[in-house]
Each structure stands twice: as structure tokens, then as C-alpha cells.
């Protein structure tokens, strides 16, 4: 690692935009811009027949791939009632339609990053995007619930090949301020896409394109995938690790077992009535997780195999400080989006379009905060994370008060102020956490570093959906939808406050 250029945690917060005069540059920005040892060559000729960094059209292309994946995490939320009516899924299978995608994605992300490091990130991007399109087609044509679940698992597996290559390509083909801006855009795109997923899903279900109904939320991916494949082949450079390493098979298997043992019972337990297998699975988590850590440490110590998740990578300051806060931030957000979709449709009787568009203020505020991020961090430094948490907490608290006061006569107008405040606060945080976590990851480990971060992100999101969803569904039968939503939002507020507390540590240690 010593021969790789790194960025300190102070530098890991976006600084001034590129138009700022040189005199305004901070010492951290100056260090970031200063020349350092050249990294090992990692870019080779791509489809355009040239060596070169990631250009603007290439960045737009990988952001398109990223948004396609993130939209599909949430696009089915508002389509679930329609799916249930047509396929008679029942609560347990309906949960699997959502969880199957997230599980496969979380389990295979680190492996996807390692494959990209070894075989080329552009190549894996093409394979993953093509597989995602085929899996989307299978979901759109599914004749029954189990076929739809299988299609969703296949979608998640394909997405696991794509997502690490997005961040890995940025790490391997950009540097300095270009990398900072690109990672900021990835964070902005991810948050906006997750919110937009429910809006798009609602519009597509209501529009009933060609009589497809809910199937349109999957079929629409096919033409988008064809465009994305053409753009990837033309504009994305090929990057890979300078010294590819073989796959860590024991580590891969044990990580998969650990994540499935944790996430599957949490996502299915409530709907299935918490049968014995869910408790046995949760009891196996410490054993499988301990075995995974032991195998990875031994592999790193002996040097015979490069670990799937190198313990040394997790000891990097950005990883150590940023991953817990990122997990709390994303986990609360995932649960928030899922619970709001349920409350809008089942509690307030919103139709698909109204349920989706009710979250537009949140999405717009998030995007606005992401765009303002460089200026805000120039003024506030790493404290932007803490201020973002405080603002988001105010928004969620305001939303709780709005629900308690206005239910069941709530509409988009009454909800908008609280959603605007909460969305702006989170938009100040998420893109910055992305850069902090990846700041010190060397280019030759860009894929595995991106895979680790994405695994934490997706696992936290699945946990948030499972925990907040279970809390909401447990309280609702006895206390009603209003109180269930208020309790779930209060739990979300606790998660926001936890993130804010963790951000204080990031800010203080980053000085």
C-alpha cells in the first residue's frame, strides 16, 4: 500500500468546486492536488481503442448503470399490492419479492468487486448489465410468485456484478478532485434513484402500459439496458488490478452463509410468524461470522491466499470511521422508504401514483443538498455530516408530529415540509460518506473496497427494511396505522441520532 497515493480523512470531505480560485484552496485540498507517487498502471485499452481516464460520457454511463440498480431496489414497493392481487403471493412471498433482490446483491457484492479487479471492471460491467436485463425480462414474464422471486434473486446477482465496477472504475480511472466530484455524484445519484424508484413504480403501475400493469416496472428495464450496454462499450475505459488475485473460495462461502443467516430470517420472520428455523438461523450468525473472520485473518497472515475482505483494508481510517456511520445512515433510509410506502397505500389509501409522488419533495431536497455539498463542505468541513444529521432529525421529528396531528387527512401538501427538511439533511450526508469510506483505498484494491462498502450499504438497507417493517407491522394490528407509523418514524429518528453521533467521531478524528 505504501506505493499508492492516498487521501487523508480530512481530504475525504469534498472541498471547493473546480471554479474556486486557487487562493481559496485549503491545505487539505492542496495536499490532494499535489503530485505523489504514480500508481501501478491499471487502465488498458478499451472499446474505443485508447488509454485514458474516465471521461464525462463514461461517468454519465456508469451513473446510469448505478441508478438502474438502485431504482430496482425500491421500484417494487408501490407495485406490491398489484403483485399480490394477481399472483396471490401472501405476506411471506411478498417479502421475498423485495428481500430476494437485496439478499443476492448483499451476498455477492464483494465477490463481484474481486472479479472486476481480476478480469476487468468494464468486462464485468457489460456482463452484469446484460444479466440484469435478462433477469428483468424474466420478472416481467413471471407466471407465478416463485418465478418472480427467482427472477428477483437473479436481478440481485447481476446487480452484484455491476455495482462494485461503478465505484471501482471511478477509483481506478480518476484521481484528485475529479474523483471527489465523481464520488459525490454517485452518492447523489444513489439517494435520488432510491427515492425516484417508488415514484417511477407508482407511475408505471397506474399507467398500465400495454396492459402490463405491475409487470411494466420490470419490462421498462430492457430498453434501458440495451442503451446502457452500447454506452458502456463505447465510453467506459477498461481498468483492473495491477496484480490480479485468485478467488478466496472459503471466505466467499462463509461471508455468504453469514449474510443469508442474518438477513433471511429478519426479512421473512415477521411474515412467516417467526418459526423455529428463523431463530436457529440467527443463532448461527455469530458462528458463521466468527469462522469468516478467522479464515480471513489466517489468509492474510499466511499470505497463501488474498482474503476476500482483507482485514488490513478494514483497518484503514476511512473504512473504520465511515462504515458504521454509513450503515446507520442507509439502514434508516431503507426502512423509512419501505414503511412510508406501506403507510401511504394501506393507511391513507393512496393510489400507486399518489404514493410515489408524495415522496417527490424528499427526492428534490436530497438532490439539492447533494449539489450544494461542495460549497457546504468548504464552509463547514467534516462538520457537514453532523449538521446534515441534525437537519434530518428535525425533519423526521416534524414528520412524526405531522402524522400524529393530521392523520388520516394527510396529503402531499401537509407532508411536504417535513419531507423537504429530512431529505435535505440526508442529502448533506450520504455522498460525503461514500468518499470518506473509499478515500484511502489503493487503486489496485478499488474493486474489493467498493464491494465491501456496497455490501455494508445493502446489508444495512435490508436490515432497516426488515426491522422498521417488522416494527410497523407488529404495532399496526393493535394500535392502528397512525400509531404504527409514528412508532416506526420514532425508531428512524433514533437511527438518525445514532448516525449524527457517529459523524461527530468522524469529524473529530478527521481533523
Amino acid at each position: 500500500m505504501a506505493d499508492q497515493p492516498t487521501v487523508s480523512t480530512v481530504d475525504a470531505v469534498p472541498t471547493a468546486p473546480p471554479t474556486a480560485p486557487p487562493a481559496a484552496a485549503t491545505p487539505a485540498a492542496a495536499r490532494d492536488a499535489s503530485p505523489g507517487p504514480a500508481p501501478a498502471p491499471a487502465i488498458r485499452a478499451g472499446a474505443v481503442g485508447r488509454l485514458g481516464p474516465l471521461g464525462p460520457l463514461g461517468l454519465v454511463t456508469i451513473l446510469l448503470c448505478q441508478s438502474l440498480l438502485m431504482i430496482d431496489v425500491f421500484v417494487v414497493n408501490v407495485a406490491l399490492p398489484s403483485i399480490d392481487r394477481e399472483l396471490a403471493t401472501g405476506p411471506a412471498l411478498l417479502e421475498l419479492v423485495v428481500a430476494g433482490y437485496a439478499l443476492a446483491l448483499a451476498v455477492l457484492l464483494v465477490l463481484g468487486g474481486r472479479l472486476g479487479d481480476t478480469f476487468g471492471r468494464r468486462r464485468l460491467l457489460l456482463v452484469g448489465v446484460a444479466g440484469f436485463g435478462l433477469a428483468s425480462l424474466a420478472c416481467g414474464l413471471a407466471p407465478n410468485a416463485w418465478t418472480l422471486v427467482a427472477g428477483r434473486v437473479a436481478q440481485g446477482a447481476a446487480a452484484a456484478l455491476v455495482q462494485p465496477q461503478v465505484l471501482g472504475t471511478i477509483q481506478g480511472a480518476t484521481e484528485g478532485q475529479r474523483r471527489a466530484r465523481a464520488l459525490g455524484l454517485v452518492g447523489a445519484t444513489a439517494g435520488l434513484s432510491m427515492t425516484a424508484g417508488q415514484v417511477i413504480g407508482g407511475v408505471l403501475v397506474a399507467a398500465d402500459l400495454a396492459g402490463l400493469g405491475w409487470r411494466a416496472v420490470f419490462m421498462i428495464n430492457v430498453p434501458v439496458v440495451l442503451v446502457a450496454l452500447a454506452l458502456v462499450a463505447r465510453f467506459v475505459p477498461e481498468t483492473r488490478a495491477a496484480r490480479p488475485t485468485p478467488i478466496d473460495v472459503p471466505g466467499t462461502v462463509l461471508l455468504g452463509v453469514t449474510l443469508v443467516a442474518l438477513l433471511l430470517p429478519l426479512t421473512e420472520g415477521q411474515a412467516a410468524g417467526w418459526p423455529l428455523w428463523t431463530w436457529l438461523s440467527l443463532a448461527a450468525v455469530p458462528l458463521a461470522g466468527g469462522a469468516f473472520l478467522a479464515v480471513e485473518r489466517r489468509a492474510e497472515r499466511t499470505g497463501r491466499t488474498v482474503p476476500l475482505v482483507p482485514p488490513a483494508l478494514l483497518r484503514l481510517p476511512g473504512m473504520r470511521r465511515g462504515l458504521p456511520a454509513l450503515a446507520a445512515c442507509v439502514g434508516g433510509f431503507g426502512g423509512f422508504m419501505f414503511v412510508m410506502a406501506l403507510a401511504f397505500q394501506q393507511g391513507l389509501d393512496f393510489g400507486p401514483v399518489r404514493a410515489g409522488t408524495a415522496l417527490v419533495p424528499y427526492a428534490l431536497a436530497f438532490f439539492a443538498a447533494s449539489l450544494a455539498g461542495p460549497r457546504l463542505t468548504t464552509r463547514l468541513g467534516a462538520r457537514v455530516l453532523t449538521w446534515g444529521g441534525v437537519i434530518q432529525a428535525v425533519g423526521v421529528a416534524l414528520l412524526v408530529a405531522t402524522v400524529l396531528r393530521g392523520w388520516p387527512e394527510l396529503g402531499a401538501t401537509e407532508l411536504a415540509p417535513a419531507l423537504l427538511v429530512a431529505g435535505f439533511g440526508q442529502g448533506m450526508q450520504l455522498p460525503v460518506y461514500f468518499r470518506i469510506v473509499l478515500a484511502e483505498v489503493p487503486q489496485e484494491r478499488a474493486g474489493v473496497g467498493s464491494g465491501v462498502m456496497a455490501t455494508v450499504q445493502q446489508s444495512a438497507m435490508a436490515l432497516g427494511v426488515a426491522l422498521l417493517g417488522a416494527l410497523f407491522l407488529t404495532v399496526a394490528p393493535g394500535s392502528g396505522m397512525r400509531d404504527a407509523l409514528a412508532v416506526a418514524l420514532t425508531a428512524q429518528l433514533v437511527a438518525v441520532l445514532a448516525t449524527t453521533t457517529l459523524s461527530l467521531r468522524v469529524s473529530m478524528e478527521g481533523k
Side-chain angles (χ1 to χ4, degrees), residues 74-91 93-95 97-98 148 198 201-202 205-206 213-215 217 338 340-347 349-353 355-356 481:
F74 291 98
V75 74
V76 298
N77 281 354
V78 293
L80 292 176
S82 300
I83 294 172
D84 191 22
R85 283 193 298 271
E86 181 174 334
L87 299 183
T89 55
L93 278 179
L94 209 60
E95 289 272 2
V97 171
V98 177
L148 178 58
Q198 297 193 172
V205 171
W214 60 266
R215 298 176 187 274
V217 303
F338 182 70
M340 293 302 288
L342 290 178
F344 285 164
Q345 293 188 86
Q346 297 180 11
D349 294 323
F350 285 5
V353 174
M481 285 285 181

Side-chain angles (χ1 to χ4, degrees), residues 321-411:
R321 299 165 186 161
L323 278 178
L326 176 67
C329 182
V330 173
F333 176 72
F336 170 80
M337 296 295 290
F338 182 70
V339 166
M340 293 302 288
L342 290 178
F344 285 164
Q345 293 188 86
Q346 297 180 11
L348 296 174
D349 294 323
F350 285 5
V353 174
R354 194 178 180 192
T357 55
L359 289 168
V360 166
Y362 192 100
L364 293 178
F366 185 102
F367 191 61
S370 300
L371 293 180
R375 293 181 181 178
L376 291 172
T377 49
T378 298
R379 183 173 300 177
L380 300 173
R383 290 174 299 168
V384 69
L385 297 170
T386 304
W387 279 108
V390 170
I391 292 171
Q392 188 185 4
V394 170
V396 176
L398 182 59
L399 189 58
V400 173
T402 302
V403 168
L404 292 175
R405 184 178 64 251
W407 192 277
E409 305 300 326
L410 290 175

Side-chain angles (χ1 to χ4, degrees), residues 21 38 92 100 118 209 238 252 257 285-286 307 365 401:
T118 302
L209 299 176
E238 180 66 283
T252 301
V257 169
V285 172

Side-chain angles (χ1 to χ4, degrees), residues 159-262:
L161 295 181
V162 174
Q163 190 165 334
Q165 317 322 324
V166 172
L167 294 168
T169 298
I170 290 174
Q171 287 288 96
T174 63
E175 57 185 11
Q177 289 302 309
R178 292 184 65 250
R179 180 183 296 175
R181 289 192 296 271
L183 289 174
L185 286 172
V186 168
T189 302
L192 185 61
S193 298
M194 288 187 284
T195 308
Q198 297 193 172
V199 178
I200 293 170
V203 171
L204 289 174
V205 171
D208 195 21
L209 299 176
L212 290 172
W214 60 266
R215 298 176 187 274
V217 303
F218 301 111
M219 301 296 282
I220 196 68
N221 290 339
V222 177
V224 178
V225 161
L226 294 177
V227 173
L229 287 172
L231 292 174
V232 170
R234 179 69 178 85
F235 295 113
V236 177
E238 180 66 283
T239 65
R240 65 174 67 192
R243 294 177 292 277
T245 55
I247 302 301
D248 173 15
V249 176
T252 301
V253 172
L254 285 171
L255 178 62
V257 169
T258 302
L259 290 175
V260 170
L262 174 64

Side-chain angles (χ1 to χ4, degrees), residues 9 12-14 167 183-184 187-188 317-330 377 382-390 392 425-439 453 457 495-507:
T9 306
V13 181
L167 294 168
L183 289 174
M319 284 271 179
R320 191 181 68 249
R321 299 165 186 161
L323 278 178
L326 176 67
C329 182
V330 173
T377 49
R383 290 174 299 168
V384 69
L385 297 170
T386 304
W387 279 108
V390 170
Q392 188 185 4
Q426 184 159 60
M428 292 172 66
Q429 292 181 302
L430 193 59
V432 180
Y433 279 127
F434 279 5
R435 190 183 175 195
I436 286 176
V437 171
L438 295 176
M453 188 186 77
Q457 180 185 348
V496 172
L497 294 174
T499 306
T500 305
T501 302
L502 290 169
S503 74
L504 287 171
R505 178 172 175 259
V506 174
S507 301

